[in-house]
Amino acid sequence: VSQRRVTIRDVAEKAGCSIATVSRVLNQSGPASTDAAERVLAAADALGFSFNELGRSLQSQRSRTLGVIVPSLSNPVFAAAIEGVQAEATAAGYQILLACSNYDEPSEIQAIRTLIGKQIDGAVLTVVDPDDSPALALLKAQGVPYCLMFNQPETPQPSVGVDNVAASRMAADMLLQAGHRNTAFLAIRFDGSERARLRHQGFSARLLEAGCPEPALLEVGDNPQDLDARLGALFAAHEGITALYASNDMLALAAIRAVRALGLRVPEDVSVIGFDGIAIAEMVDPSLATIATPCPEMGRGATSQVITAINEDRTPAATMTALPFSFRTGGSLGLAGAEKPADERAPVRRRTHPTTPVTKHGS
Amino acid sequence: VSQRRVTIRDVAEKAGCSIATVSRVLNQSGPASTDAAERVLAAADALGFSFNELGRSLQSQRSRTLGVIVPSLSNPVFAAAIEGVQAEATAAGYQILLACSNYDEPSEIQAIRTLIGKQIDGAVLTVVDPDDSPALALLKAQGVPYCLMFNQPETPQPSVGVDNVAASRMAADMLLQAGHRNTAFLAIRFDGSERARLRHQGFSARLLEAGCPEPALLEVGDNPQDLDARLGALFAAHEGITALYASNDMLALAAIRAVRALGLRVPEDVSVIGFDGIAIAEMVDPSLATIATPCPEMGRGATSQVITAINEDRTPAATMTALPFSFRTGGSLGLAGAEKPADERAPVRRRTHPTTPVTKHGS
DNA sequence: ATGAAAGCGCTAACAC
DNA sequence: GTGTTAGCGCTTTCAT
């Protein structure tokens, strides 16, 4: 079945010259007579030659390949970010080697090992714990430039994301404006996502400042089966909850479903706000109020930092680039104790975060 | 910044032996004295050595890398399939090199060229036109084993998907059972997706058999902005449409939104059925009635065929593996002319396709 | 059991 | 302008 692939040597033979000349012509990396060039081009074309990038990479010590690790592909935020990475990488002539960690550190380490073995020139990734990550340690030890996406490390690290604390304070503000005081926070396991933790932090802080009770906390797994029951228990344990903030849109959507399964209405009985701003959130009914974040831009930004670093033979700056976010209101947000959603009465104003990227570390 | 990576030579030196011995020990590919083995292991460990897979691949002529090309990542079906590919590939010790074609043939060709250049051992992909694909031609010419996902080629090709015609006949059946006779079919451009074309074909055929008028057809782009207007025009041009079948769930969701924007209710005025069975479809309100397909299994199945072929040094069989599908009812499907959704009156029974994979070619 | 050496496909000095 | 040659990191005969 597998015919031997045509190599530079075959082209040289057919063109009647040495492999050096072929290389020079095809790479335009040195002098060649018009005559020789023509023969080489013709031969390469006739043979359907294309370079074996393995040999090339081995020699040049650069693979033109970027490693990408995301926790999961089922959450559209990561898919959206990867599209950004793809676009940027392709434009710069890089390919991407993709791996999923499933929010699991051992898988993450294994993945990064393999990627390093394949001699990636750089990495763009979202890690489980950016402040104590064996994967990142490996990358540093090998001198592979990397940039995080989504992650918001405390320690200075190259990263592109949003200020989760500020964004969540904004979410709290919107709820406060709509008259909510008794809230709940629904999060994926904190130990697998520092974002969820920071979102909780910002949200709680703002509510406490406003003299509200601490939001009731519910931590769940990646793909919660028993959300109905657990949410029911939470509502039973905490009387008078009128609003729920979820640490991401997928969870928010699941929450809406669960809330309804409990016989409650959204937003009349419970308002729901999500985080991320995935496309689907705008297509459902009621539309999901959420913190809209620029996912493809995170991918693009992180990728461009890495590529620039590679080109300049250095490491990306160990700072977090905070991208702008905005609050996108939706039918899932209503006034506390009202029978109508807020935006059918006094529409909650759409607020946008300053568009200038702020550079800051940690939270 | 970039310290020289440690090579097998460094390990050999530290262990006081030749690189051949290091290779044999680390790969367990030949004899070695317990003593030498220990020294090698210790040295490798101390140095933090790991193989440079480039050198290894170049020598062994296998990269342990699979190329993956999907039309887009924004549609969760492809993300889900990739998760399946990932799982299967990782389990077999393969990495995946990912590219997106954006439903565009030139990009597809470019992507496959690069992948081939990187010496992928096999490819798993969804192409624009499986029956006349330059990308597949390239793969064949190079003797790279591949298997399609989702695609349902007319010509015999290795592929894992569902029988789109049969599935769409089933969708038509469900609509007929609910009393619908005047329908519309909403599709992404036929020229970018033979699936959409086949789905239309099966749907129309069944309706015509039942003596219904041909469904009104609306073809739109990947991410239609003007869906509201175009759907409005369609409804205006064709009186009495009570149901809409969309060629995929994302489109179906967008359609529901558009229908509502037109002041119509789902399902009271218009029922909607989608295709794919993405997770979100179950989370929205009303839940989306759809043809549920096993996306991760398509990725897994296609990948396992390719890997098996690689291991046996042959090409995957040029046949389509049709995976089972089922109709998943939902709130978006109602009885024609009724004020209540069908499943709140006489629930539409959930039908499942025979679970035995059928092998068949073409449509 | 171990090492020397050839060579995978390529690039880049360095001659000529 | 062109060819020869020495590797890039590795595996694998083939001697020893």
Side-chain angles (χ1 to χ4, degrees):
Chain A
V1 170
S2 50
Q3 55 273 293
R4 202 175 58 73
R5 306 256 254 238
V6 13
T7 78
I8 197 174
R9 197 152 260 117
D10 301 317
V11 179
E13 194 169 334
K14 177 141 194 162
C17 64
S18 75
I19 60 169
T21 302
V22 175
S23 174
R24 277 191 290 252
V25 171
L26 263 23
N27 290 308
Q28 309 189 57
S29 60
S33 63
T34 335
D35 181 53
E38 268 171 14
R39 271 160 32 227
V40 167
L41 259 10
D45 198 51
L47 264 32
F49 171 78
S50 68
F51 283 111
N52 178 332
E53 294 292 336
L54 252 35
R56 227 180 190 180
S57 299
L58 186 58
Q59 161 65 24
S60 61
Q61 302 286 51
R62 43 212 315 285
S63 61
R64 292 217 155 263
T65 303
L66 258 29
V68 176
I69 304 183
V70 292
S72 141
L73 244 27
S74 6
N75 188 332
V77 287
F78 297 117
I82 292 177
E83 289 207 309
V85 174
Q86 263 287 353
E88 194 75 20
T90 303
Y94 283 78
Q95 288 282 118
I96 75 180
L97 218 28
L98 177 72
C100 288
S101 70
N102 300 309
Y103 294 95
D104 173 59
E105 204 149 76
S107 312
E108 191 172 284
I109 299 172
Q110 184 46 51
I112 210 68
R113 270 191 212 291
T114 318
L115 294 178
I116 289 176
K118 299 232 163 150
Q119 308 301 110
I120 50 171
D121 291 340
V124 174
L125 66 178
T126 300
V127 298
V128 172
D129 179 3
D131 291 308
D132 177 23
S133 168
L136 296 184
L138 236 31
L139 251 13
K140 279 178 210 152
Q142 303 293 320
V144 177
Y146 69 85
C147 184
L148 298 167
M149 316 181 277
F150 297 101
N151 285 126
Q152 185 177 353
E154 307 236 356
T155 50
Q157 303 247 29
S159 177
V160 178
V162 297
D163 182 334
N164 291 286
V165 175
S168 298
R169 294 183 68 94
M170 184 186 277
D173 273 332
M174 304 321 279
L175 251 23
L176 288 167
Q177 276 181 33
H180 297 278
R181 297 186 53 83
N182 279 287
T183 62
F185 184 79
L186 175 62
I188 48 170
R189 305 177 272 107
F190 284 159
D191 64 354
S193 167
E194 91 284 6
R195 279 96 60 212
R197 196 171 33 74
L198 292 169
R199 288 168 198 171
H200 176 245
Q201 183 182 310
F203 186 66
S204 293
R206 180 67 192 94
L207 288 172
L208 291 177
E209 276 174 29
C212 298
E214 176 120 28
L217 175 64
L218 180 56
E219 254 183 277
V220 298
D222 187 13
N223 207 323
Q225 307 302 325
D226 53 348
L227 193 56
D228 295 16
R230 302 194 53 186
L231 216 49
L234 189 77
F235 285 160
H238 303 260
E239 284 284 302
I241 287 178
T242 62
L244 184 150
Y245 179 43
S247 76
N248 72 52
D249 286 348
M250 294 296 281
L251 230 37
L253 259 17
I256 290 179
R257 195 166 103 118
V259 163
R260 285 176 167 157
L262 293 171
L264 299 171
R265 294 160 303 167
V266 175
E268 292 83 355
D269 300 315
V270 181
S271 285
V272 176
I273 295 187
F275 197 107
D276 285 336
I278 61 178
I280 309 271
E282 298 189 83
M283 305 178 47
V284 300
D285 182 67
S287 61
L288 181 65
T290 188
I291 301 289
T293 65
C295 295
E297 283 70 22
M298 288 191 215
R300 256 202 290 279
T303 307
S304 103
Q305 289 205 27
V306 170
I307 291 178
T308 305
I310 293 171
N311 291 338
E312 300 177 359
D313 193 32
R314 54 171 183 79
T315 323
T319 56
M320 165 149 178
T321 305
L323 258 31
F325 55 83
S326 65
F327 178 74
R328 191 163 79 198
T329 198
S332 67
L333 171 59
L335 293 181
E339 283 301 301
K340 279 283 186 185
D343 55 351
E344 288 182 18
R345 299 169 149 230
V348 176
R349 235 181 346 116
R350 185 195 207 88
R351 269 179 51 185
T352 302
H353 199 69
T355 224
T356 328
V358 201
T359 296
K360 54 174 312 218
H361 314 168
S363 57
Chain B
V1 169
S2 49
Q3 55 273 295
R4 203 175 56 72
R5 307 257 252 237
V6 14
T7 78
I8 197 174
R9 197 152 260 116
D10 302 317
V11 178
E13 194 169 333
K14 176 142 194 161
C17 65
S18 74
I19 60 169
T21 302
V22 175
S23 174
R24 277 189 292 253
V25 171
L26 263 25
N27 291 309
Q28 309 188 57
S29 61
S33 63
T34 334
D35 180 53
E38 268 170 15
R39 271 161 30 229
V40 167
L41 259 9
D45 197 51
L47 265 32
F49 171 79
S50 68
F51 283 110
N52 178 332
E53 294 292 335
L54 252 35
R56 227 181 189 178
S57 299
L58 186 58
Q59 162 67 26
S60 62
Q61 301 285 51
R62 38 211 319 284
S63 61
R64 292 217 154 263
T65 302
L66 258 29
V68 176
I69 304 182
V70 292
S72 141
L73 243 27
S74 7
N75 189 331
V77 288
F78 296 115
I82 292 177
E83 288 207 310
V85 173
Q86 263 286 353
E88 194 75 20
T90 303
Y94 284 78
Q95 287 283 118
I96 76 181
L97 220 27
L98 177 72
C100 288
S101 70
N102 299 311
Y103 293 95
D104 173 59
E105 205 149 76
S107 312
E108 190 172 285
I109 299 172
Q110 184 45 52
I112 211 68
R113 270 191 212 292
T114 318
L115 294 178
I116 290 176
K118 299 231 163 152
Q119 309 302 112
I120 51 170
D121 292 339
V124 174
L125 67 179
T126 299
V127 298
V128 173
D129 179 2
D131 291 308
D132 176 25
S133 167
L136 295 185
L138 236 30
L139 250 14
K140 280 179 209 149
Q142 304 293 320
V144 177
Y146 69 85
C147 184
L148 298 167
M149 314 181 278
F150 297 100
N151 285 126
Q152 186 176 353
E154 305 235 358
T155 50
Q157 303 246 29
S159 177
V160 178
V162 297
D163 182 334
N164 290 285
V165 175
S168 297
R169 294 182 68 93
M170 184 186 277
D173 273 332
M174 304 321 278
L175 251 23
L176 288 167
Q177 277 181 32
H180 298 278
R181 297 187 53 83
N182 279 287
T183 62
F185 185 78
L186 175 62
I188 47 169
R189 305 178 272 108
F190 284 160
D191 63 353
S193 166
E194 91 283 6
R195 279 94 61 213
R197 195 169 36 73
L198 291 169
R199 288 168 197 171
H200 175 245
Q201 183 182 311
F203 187 66
S204 294
R206 181 67 192 94
L207 288 172
L208 291 177
E209 277 174 26
C212 298
E214 176 119 28
L217 174 64
L218 180 56
E219 253 183 279
V220 298
D222 187 13
N223 208 324
Q225 307 302 324
D226 53 349
L227 192 57
D228 295 16
R230 301 193 54 186
L231 215 50
L234 190 78
F235 284 160
H238 303 261
E239 285 284 301
I241 287 178
T242 62
L244 184 151
Y245 179 43
S247 77
N248 72 51
D249 285 348
M250 295 297 279
L251 229 38
L253 258 18
I256 289 179
R257 196 166 103 117
V259 163
R260 285 176 167 157
L262 293 171
L264 300 171
R265 294 160 303 167
V266 176
E268 292 82 355
D269 300 314
V270 182
S271 285
V272 176
I273 295 186
F275 198 108
D276 286 336
I278 61 178
I280 309 270
E282 298 190 83
M283 305 178 48
V284 300
D285 183 66
S287 61
L288 181 65
T290 188
I291 301 290
T293 65
C295 295
E297 283 70 24
M298 287 191 215
R300 255 201 292 278
T303 306
S304 104
Q305 288 205 26
V306 170
I307 291 177
T308 305
I310 294 172
N311 291 338
E312 300 178 359
D313 192 33
R314 55 171 183 80
T315 326
T319 55
M320 164 150 180
T321 306
L323 257 31
F325 56 83
S326 65
F327 178 75
R328 192 163 78 199
T329 198
S332 67
L333 171 60
L335 294 181
E339 282 302 300
K340 280 283 186 183
D343 56 352
E344 288 182 18
R345 298 167 149 233
V348 177
R349 240 186 336 120
R350 185 196 208 90
R351 270 178 50 184
T352 302
H353 199 70
T355 222
T356 329
V358 201
T359 296
K360 55 173 312 217
H361 312 169
S363 57

